[in-house]
Amino acid sequence: MIPDSIRLEGVTTHNLKSVDVSFPKGKLVVAAGVSGSGKSSLVIDTLFEHSKTLYLGALSSKSLDMGDGDYQFDRIAGAQPPVALRQRDGGYSNPRSTVGTLTGLDGLYRLLFGAGSRPVCPACLGPTGADLFCDDCGCFAEPHSAKHFSPNRKEGKCLQCDGIGELVGFSLDKIIPDRSKTLTEIWDGADPGTFAVPNVRKAFEAMAADIGLDLDLPFEKLSPEQTERVLHGSDTVYTLKIRKVTNDFRFEGILGFLERAYRNASSAARKNAFTNYLGRDVCPACNGGRLRPESLRATVAGHTFPDFQGDELSRSIARLREGLASGDVPAQVRELATAIVKQSANIEDVGLGHLQLRRPVTTLSGGELQRLLLAQHLASDLTGVMYVLDEPTAGLHEADTGKILDSLRRLRDLGNTVIVIEHDESVIRAADWIVELGPGAGSRGGEIVFEGRFADLLKSGDSPTATAMASDGPARTRTDLTGASWLEISGITRNNVVDQTAKFPLGALTCVSGVSGAGKSSLVAGVHAAVSRALAHRSTGTDAETSGIEGAEALDDVIYVEQRPIGRSSRSTLVTYIGVSDHIRDAFAASPDAVERGLGRGEFSPNVAGGRCESCKGLGLAEIEMTLFKSEFIVCPECEGRRFQEHVLEVRLDGRNIHDVLSMTVEDALEWFDATNSAKVVQALGVLSEFGLGYLQLGCSTTTLSGGEAQRLNLAGELLKQRRSRTLFIFDEPTRGLHSADIRHLLALFERLISTGNTIVVIEHDVKVIAIADWVIDLGPGAGREGGRVVHSGTPEELADNPDSVTGRFVRRPGEEPVAETTTHGPAASGRPDTAPDLGVIGELLPRAVTVVAGTARHSRRQGPTPYGLVIGSLTVVSDELALIGFLVRSGSTSWNAIADSGRFCVNILGEDQHAVSEAFSQGRPDGRFDALAWTPSANGCPRLSGALGAIDCSLKSVYRIGDHEFVLATVVSIDMESGTGRRPLLRGEQGDSALDDYGWRRFAREAEAR
């Protein structure tokens, strides 16, 4: 047992096979393994759930651990208070919840404006004086409080929209989407219960006859006066006989009727009849700002409340920082503004700087939500906690992985245990300790195949993860695009994507890539909408080429497979999801035993009364209600988990009862079912087997599936739907949640679809998959406002050579070494022991050479990046194996703080002819030291001084306080040294060797101090 660790013994939860394992406390631990190997069963379903039960039990007088729950184990020792950050949780489904409300930043901004903004005149909305008096109007303004900036309080909310920001009303575009239809067709196609009711239609027809309106006239051909009558009716009263009843009616118009009927609807069901015709428009009074005019005009540091709500977090941080630096933020709220900057910076550091505070939480991906919660915990400074994270890099671009690793390390360094379920290679490499489960999935997994450090993992012959890392990645035969047909969509505008053109080869695999928030989903949604519109136009005979799309005539259908839950009902099983449960029940109902007993298909369903066990209602589990806490479940004592009553279980089909069949694995069932009599069952099970899901039981609940298994099951379900060829399939990050070894199953699906004449477009972050695509469309170059543009459209090889593409830096040709070490932010990409830069060329040089640390401020008040630099006193190699160097800087150094904020920098080794460069850094403002110097961006985008003898690109690993100085530990990601010229470095020879201490460090001198 590892000293000071969390110890689990005899764990048999789900597919785990009496697992014994230890997790060291205070470390970053990664649980790895193929999809379905048992990672979640061990870490979340057992360790987290049991630890939660222990700590919740301390709050209750009754024990919460029933001993027969979903998790099963012999002993767990050393448990810590647990916090789980999952990708999606039902607690975050409130449609009114936003990024601002979830993070608490909304409340902080209200306090900021309540105490720091000056009220405007309520009459003219102009400025007021110190006494809140308006000289122009002679009015006094009401003093501000936080309530004046809340859309839920009467003091602040817009009165016209009641603080919603939108006005809900009937939309003519939804009522009459096709204005080429005639008035008769419009009434015939109206939703039941709306304006198609007989009395309204009769009144309309009477009015039409009265004013001479032709019912066969298309709506778009109506005159303005006729349109007004159709929509808003007339005052004329007509006596009509409807269903033997004569009465007086007035046609109030389509809109008039809908508005009155919706307003007077007495039930939710009645209101639902009108929902298809309802639309939302931005409130004209507040323009979506949700606040009253006086609150909308108030400013802090020159910016309004909606400015901070509607802008990206990265821009809001820059605004507040500028206001703090310039003194524009009032003194009474400077501390509050600093707290907002700190909390927002935590969110930016996990790759979410492109989010807006007003963005609904329901629109976030699972990975985005989890990283948002991670940022919250970074701000909490909790210690002694066990954090459990489920694939925090899901949906994250390779360039942003370093930010996540920085955050995970910060949680660990606070004194917490951080356990991460992860497939990402960079995270596995960065772990302090690795636990791998496997070797396979389902019944073939559930064992510990490795425990230890990364260097030992690479030597493990039993590890599928190590094998996948050592391979060149997935492979496929590329499609020859010579003479290929193309689909081209122009004018795509959605969210941050504005007027872009996308071109895809038909009958091939195209990857849409880009950093998180670059606009990939927006572009693909635009493509889906354009193709769907073109196919609809073709069915009506409209020319599709006029709608900004070319090549759609080669397609018959378009399918968008989005990231979504697969159905997490406790009654949803594998066979019900893929649609073969009825075929299995029919087979049993047709058996001689069932016919003799008079049993139909319903008796063989665990969801229908009659044949199911009524004690557990066919679930196989009995629920024990805990008054204050989540219910516990134990195996049903009545049916012993078999779900059915005894008389149903006595029915046999080829020697097996219904419970036996549902307990079969997919592979066993394929051999048992007859291909002739059960063709649809065999077909469906065959697809599951192709996807590597042959180990799953037919009756397993979908709630027990891992993320990777659920993803593949979702894709298999789409493939099983009967479709012809000539279909455009769009997949949203299909490799999310998949181990590298499982991606081959996904590629097999792609090849199967392409071979039958279909086209595939995938949103993808996995650079190994991007490298084998036929075509790549890369969005960027950044996220949010900095993205939304197509920066590359071409082959993966061309992408790798495109200097404008962030993705291209990570894509490599087969056989090439990864280049991520020289490009990613932070220490994420470093630490690759088998490819670490050779420090031998600089090891003897660094302690004596004059060196300049140069970086770029992340947030600049100027247009474009601002370079910062400082001369350091001494620099040494800390570890050759891990490529670590260290140096000292003075605490509070403006230059160093600006550089450290971005997490990466370049160490410039000056030549003997560069005395003037060294002197330039001992005078002038920190942000002006490069003004008179020539420099170019280094490999990681930091300033490289022209003429420098060498450049060492580094990523910040950690900083330690030592008295009045800070010790900086950095990872070397690349070295570029001038050689063969006879040039020598600029040395500190005037101090002599006596200036070096016993460890080879240069003693701190005046000119070495960071100013």
Side-chain angles (χ1 to χ4, degrees):
M1 177 174 174
I2 302 172
D4 196 19
S5 63
I6 302 169
R7 178 68 178 171
L8 296 88
E9 297 177 358
V11 183
T12 57
T13 305
H14 301 148
N15 69 326
L16 297 178
K17 300 173 181 176
S18 191
V19 163
D20 297 337
V21 66
S22 295
F23 295 99
K25 292 183 179 179
K27 301 294 183 181
L28 173 57
V29 183
V30 168
V34 298
S35 303
S37 60
K39 303 183 296 297
S40 296
S41 297
L42 178 67
V43 175
I44 296 179
D45 298 337
T46 303
L47 177 57
F48 170 74
E49 289 295 338
H50 173 67
S51 300
K52 182 181 69 173
T53 295
L54 287 179
Y55 286 91
L56 287 179
L59 306 177
S60 173
S61 59
K62 63 177 75 174
S63 172
L64 296 182
D65 192 350
M66 307 305 297
D68 281 321
D70 287 343
Y71 53 83
Q72 300 290 328
F73 60 88
D74 293 337
R75 176 173 176 263
I76 294 181
Q80 293 178 295
V83 175
L85 305 181
R86 311 189 196 196
Q87 289 197 20
R88 179 58 64 183
D89 194 304
Y92 300 104
S93 58
N94 186 345
R96 293 179 65 90
S97 179
T98 65
V99 171
T101 59
L102 178 63
T103 60
L105 284 171
D106 265 4
L108 293 180
Y109 271 109
R110 287 173 191 146
L111 291 173
L112 179 76
F113 272 80
S117 64
R118 180 180 295 276
V120 298
C121 173
C124 68
L125 302 180
T128 59
D131 56 356
L132 305 186
F133 182 74
C134 176
D135 292 330
D136 294 333
C137 301
C139 296
F140 282 97
E142 180 184 2
H144 277 163
S145 68
K147 298 177 183 178
H148 290 88
F149 299 92
S150 171
N152 300 319
R153 305 298 293 262
K154 66 180 186 301
E155 295 88 347
K157 67 181 179 182
C158 170
L159 297 180
Q160 184 164 341
C161 65
D162 200 34
I164 302 298
E166 297 176 322
L167 295 177
V168 178
F170 288 98
S171 169
L172 187 59
D173 290 335
K174 292 188 175 184
I175 297 171
I176 310 175
D178 185 356
R179 303 194 181 191
S180 64
K181 289 187 175 181
T182 66
L183 295 173
T184 298
E185 291 172 333
I186 290 172
W187 251 268
D188 289 342
D191 288 352
T194 60
F195 60 91
V197 294
N199 57 332
V200 176
R201 183 163 190 170
K202 287 288 187 179
F204 166 68
E205 291 173 348
M207 184 199 72
D210 188 28
I211 65 175
L213 179 59
D214 185 0
L215 297 181
D216 292 327
L217 190 66
F219 184 83
E220 61 186 5
K221 300 294 186 181
L222 298 179
S223 67
E225 183 180 354
Q226 291 172 326
T227 302
E228 175 68 16
R229 290 287 179 269
V230 171
L231 296 181
H232 299 287
S234 69
D235 294 329
T236 306
V237 177
Y238 302 97
T239 302
L240 303 173
K241 183 177 182 180
I242 301 175
R243 295 175 183 171
K244 300 181 180 180
V245 177
T246 302
N247 217 327
D248 292 337
F249 293 95
R250 181 181 70 85
F251 179 64
E252 54 191 323
I254 294 177
L255 290 178
F257 168 79
L258 291 176
E259 290 169 357
R260 179 183 59 79
Y262 184 77
R263 184 172 57 252
N264 297 332
S266 57
S267 66
R270 177 61 177 149
K271 284 183 176 290
N272 286 338
F274 301 97
T275 53
N276 288 339
Y277 295 154
L278 290 173
R280 295 179 179 271
D281 295 317
V282 175
C283 173
C286 65
N287 197 28
R290 306 172 66 189
L291 301 176
R292 65 179 187 173
E294 303 96 297
S295 298
L296 293 174
R297 290 293 187 94
T299 61
V300 170
H303 299 286
T304 66
F305 192 85
D307 287 343
F308 289 107
Q309 287 283 307
D311 228 336
E312 296 169 8
L313 279 171
S314 57
R315 289 172 62 90
S316 296
I317 296 172
R319 286 171 169 169
L320 281 180
R321 281 184 171 146
E322 290 173 3
L324 288 167
S326 64
D328 291 338
V329 175
Q332 68 269 26
V333 293
R334 289 181 65 84
E335 186 174 346
L336 182 59
T338 302
I340 292 175
V341 169
K342 180 181 178 182
Q343 187 166 340
S344 300
N346 284 332
I347 299 174
E348 185 181 40
D349 287 342
V350 296
L352 298 177
H354 61 279
L355 294 183
Q356 300 169 316
L357 290 179
R358 68 184 181 190
R359 179 168 171 176
V361 170
T362 53
T363 66
L364 300 178
S365 68
E368 285 176 326
L369 175 59
Q370 187 178 203
R371 294 199 297 277
L372 196 61
L373 298 175
L374 173 60
Q376 287 291 91
H377 282 274
L378 286 171
S380 70
D381 290 339
L382 283 175
T383 61
V385 171
M386 179 185 72
Y387 283 97
V388 175
L389 294 94
D390 184 9
E391 295 186 52
T393 63
L396 195 64
H397 191 274
E398 191 78 15
D400 295 321
T401 303
K403 299 176 183 178
I404 287 293
L405 282 172
D406 286 345
S407 300
L408 296 178
R409 289 189 179 103
R410 285 174 58 189
L411 284 180
R412 175 202 62 189
D413 294 343
L414 285 171
N416 302 301
T417 302
V418 182
I419 303 177
V420 182
I421 299 172
E422 191 55 82
H423 294 300
D424 188 272
E425 183 175 328
S426 298
V427 179
I428 296 173
R429 290 179 179 274
D432 301 318
W433 193 258
I434 300 168
V435 173
E436 182 175 2
L437 288 98
S443 60
R444 300 173 185 171
E447 303 175 19
I448 301 296
V449 298
F450 176 80
E451 286 183 85
R453 302 185 184 279
F454 177 73
D456 298 322
L457 174 70
L458 295 178
K459 304 172 187 175
S460 173
D462 299 327
S463 167
T465 298
T467 302
M469 286 184 175
S471 70
D472 289 332
R476 64 179 288 266
T477 302
R478 301 263 288 272
T479 303
D480 184 4
L481 300 183
T482 304
S485 300
W486 294 80
L487 172 69
E488 183 172 346
I489 300 98
S490 59
I492 302 174
T493 299
R494 187 177 293 241
N495 298 328
N496 67 329
V497 175
V498 179
D499 196 22
Q500 295 297 298
T501 298
K503 185 178 181 182
F504 305 88
L506 296 171
L509 170 62
T510 297
C511 283
V512 178
S513 61
V515 299
S516 304
K520 303 181 295 297
S521 297
S522 297
L523 181 87
V524 166
V527 170
H528 177 247
V531 174
S532 299
R533 191 164 52 247
L535 296 178
H537 286 170
R538 185 197 305 167
S539 65
T540 59
T542 307
D543 185 7
E545 303 301 329
T546 62
S547 60
I549 180 170
E550 297 181 2
E553 64 277 358
L555 297 173
D556 292 333
D557 199 3
V558 56
I559 305 298
Y560 193 177
V561 185
E562 299 182 71
Q563 284 281 349
R564 56 179 174 82
I566 65 169
R568 292 288 181 172
S569 165
S570 59
R571 296 190 175 275
S572 174
T573 64
L574 186 69
V575 289
T576 58
Y577 186 81
I578 61 175
V580 298
S581 56
D582 285 346
H583 299 288
I584 296 175
R585 293 165 192 155
D586 287 341
F588 270 95
S591 67
D593 283 354
V595 172
E596 182 179 343
R597 289 174 169 79
L599 300 178
R601 67 188 300 191
E603 277 78 11
F604 295 94
S605 170
N607 301 325
V608 178
R612 71 182 184 186
C613 170
E614 290 302 323
S615 178
C616 63
K617 305 299 183 185
L619 285 177
L621 298 172
E623 181 179 7
I624 299 179
E625 294 186 0
M626 310 300 292
T627 306
L628 299 177
F629 303 102
K630 179 182 176 181
S631 297
E632 296 283 349
F633 290 88
I634 62 173
V635 174
C636 175
E638 184 72 24
C639 67
E640 298 180 338
R642 296 187 297 173
R643 303 186 183 184
F644 295 91
Q645 297 180 32
E646 195 61 38
H647 71 281
V648 175
L649 294 172
E650 291 174 355
V651 175
R652 301 278 171 168
L653 184 65
D654 293 337
R656 311 245 184 167
N657 63 28
I658 183 67
H659 173 69
D660 295 334
V661 172
L662 293 179
S663 299
M664 286 182 178
T665 66
V666 170
E667 290 180 347
D668 292 340
L670 269 173
E671 297 178 0
W672 187 76
F673 278 101
D674 184 271
T676 302
N677 298 327
S678 305
K680 290 188 177 181
V681 175
V682 171
Q683 178 194 10
L685 298 181
V687 172
L688 294 181
S689 181
E690 284 183 37
F691 277 24
L693 299 175
Y695 59 87
L696 293 179
Q697 291 184 333
L698 300 187
C700 71
S701 171
T702 57
T703 60
T704 65
L705 299 183
S706 70
E709 290 168 334
Q711 171 76 313
R712 279 180 284 168
L713 183 58
N714 184 17
L715 298 178
E718 290 295 333
L719 184 62
L720 286 169
K721 295 176 182 177
Q722 296 298 320
R723 294 192 181 94
R724 298 167 294 177
S725 60
R726 291 167 52 95
T727 296
L728 172 63
F729 284 91
I730 301 174
F731 295 102
D732 184 4
E733 295 186 53
T735 62
R736 178 184 293 185
L738 292 184
H739 188 275
S740 300
D742 295 316
I743 293 179
R744 67 181 186 274
H745 301 300
L746 180 69
L747 294 175
L749 160 69
F750 289 169
E751 294 307 311
R752 177 173 173 177
L753 292 175
I754 291 174
S755 66
T756 54
N758 298 297
T759 300
I760 298 177
V761 173
V762 297
I763 299 173
E764 192 54 73
H765 281 148
D766 191 315
V767 292
K768 292 182 179 179
V769 174
I770 295 172
I772 60 175
D774 300 311
W775 197 255
V776 182
I777 294 179
D778 191 57
L779 275 292
R785 295 176 185 270
E786 303 301 322
R789 300 189 296 278
V790 175
V791 297
H792 174 81
S793 182
T795 65
E797 291 79 11
E798 294 168 343
L799 176 69
D801 295 330
N802 188 335
D804 298 326
S805 169
V806 176
T807 306
R809 303 174 193 169
F810 300 89
V811 176
R812 58 190 177 104
R813 298 178 178 85
E816 288 183 343
E817 285 297 319
V819 296
E821 291 91 309
T822 63
T823 54
T824 56
H825 158 73
S830 59
R832 190 183 285 257
D834 50 343
T835 59
D838 180 10
L839 301 185
V841 295
I842 63 171
E844 294 298 323
L845 177 64
L846 291 181
R848 295 174 175 83
V850 176
T851 53
V852 173
V853 175
T856 302
R858 180 186 296 176
H859 305 288
S860 171
R861 295 177 61 188
R862 301 182 176 186
Q863 292 296 325
T866 298
Y868 282 81
L870 69 156
V871 180
I872 56 177
S874 55
L875 190 150
T876 192
V877 175
V878 177
S879 170
D880 290 293
E881 180 183 0
L882 299 179
L884 294 177
I885 61 173
F887 55 87
L888 287 173
V889 297
R890 182 177 291 280
S891 296
S893 165
T894 302
S895 295
W896 170 245
N897 289 340
I899 294 170
D901 190 42
S902 67
R904 56 189 180 184
F905 48 86
C906 177
V907 176
N908 294 269
I909 303 175
L910 302 186
E912 57 189 343
D913 54 346
Q914 292 185 292
H915 285 276
V917 175
S918 178
E919 294 172 358
F921 285 88
S922 63
Q923 50 191 292
R925 295 195 348 260
D927 60 349
R929 289 172 178 167
F930 280 81
D931 290 348
L933 300 176
W935 59 277
T936 56
S938 66
N940 67 354
C942 294
R944 176 173 181 176
L945 295 169
S946 298
L949 184 68
I952 310 169
D953 277 324
C954 304
S955 64
L956 178 62
K957 185 173 180 64
S958 53
V959 179
Y960 303 88
R961 185 69 177 266
I962 304 177
D964 294 334
H965 297 85
E966 293 178 353
F967 171 57
V968 179
L969 190 63
T971 305
V972 176
V973 294
S974 69
I975 300 174
D976 184 8
M977 293 290 294
E978 186 178 290
S979 60
T981 64
R983 233 175 128 222
R984 299 179 61 81
L986 176 62
L987 302 178
R988 301 182 184 280
E990 70 279 1
Q991 296 183 18
D993 290 341
S994 63
L996 300 178
D997 62 22
D998 294 338
Y999 299 97
W1001 282 79
R1002 173 69 58 190
R1003 292 194 178 93
F1004 217 80
R1006 179 177 301 173
E1007 68 270 36
E1009 293 183 0
R1011 295 173 176 87

